Amino acid sequence: LLKMPTSWKQPDQVIAVGTKPGLKYDITEVQVKAGSKIKLIFNNNDDMTHNVVIVEPGAAKEIGDQAFNLGLKGSQMHYIPGSTKVLFHTNLIQPGAAETIYFNAPLKPGNYTILCTYPGHAMIMQATLKVVK
């Protein structure tokens, strides 16, 4: 969601994600409490287009491959494949831009993958959303 849900007084946790040269996020892991209200701010301070996509544990390669296979319609879809394994995502963000999304952390503890699904980025540009009880 691009706007904070009206039912929230405030998020339980704010996560800031930026980028570093060499197809990297500026975080490697972030820990959140299961079911908590999350505000994620993505700052693309790189010179390439990126997104933030949070997927089910173990689904990074599958989602990266699906995004790559979207071909010409990929850019209109922000390279977000229509999969139930995609939990939350930003749009594709141009260099120097930012976007904020709001979501409830998964209820099931585990290591969820944060990745950029822009073609060629998915296998390298990853971080972990660690969901704990």
Side-chain angles (χ1 to χ4, degrees):
L1 297 169
L2 295 172
K3 286 189 164 75
M4 187 166 83
T6 49
S7 60
W8 294 14
K9 288 192 174 55
Q10 63 186 43
D12 297 320
Q13 188 172 347
V14 178
I15 300 169
V17 179
T19 54
K20 293 196 312 200
L23 300 183
K24 287 183 170 66
Y25 292 118
D26 65 359
I27 57 159
T28 53
E29 183 177 290
V30 62
Q31 188 168 301
V32 299
K33 211 170 162 181
S36 59
K37 301 177 179 97
I38 305 297
K39 174 183 181 179
L40 185 149
I41 304 161
F42 177 46
N43 286 302
N44 185 7
N45 37 352
D46 197 13
D47 58 3
M48 286 184 260
T49 304
H50 297 298
N51 62 14
V52 168
V53 181
I54 300 172
V55 300
E56 292 278 357
K61 181 174 182 350
E62 177 186 334
I63 297 302
D65 289 349
Q66 286 177 8
F68 188 83
N69 291 333
L70 289 172
L72 294 174
K73 58 181 194 248
S75 60
Q76 297 157 358
M77 297 172 66
H78 297 275
Y79 291 100
I80 311 293
S83 167
T84 55
K85 293 179 182 178
V86 172
L87 303 178
F88 321 105
H89 63 85
T90 66
N91 291 313
L92 274 180
I93 306 298
Q94 295 301 318
E99 185 169 277
T100 300
I101 60 170
Y102 298 85
F103 60 89
N104 287 87
L107 295 172
K108 194 170 151 200
N111 291 332
Y112 293 75
T113 305
I114 301 170
L115 71 151
C116 175
T117 56
Y118 191 83
H121 295 194
M123 291 330 299
I124 308 159
M125 194 163 179
Q126 294 187 7
T128 301
L129 180 75
K130 188 176 174 115
V131 177
V132 296
K133 283 192 178 205

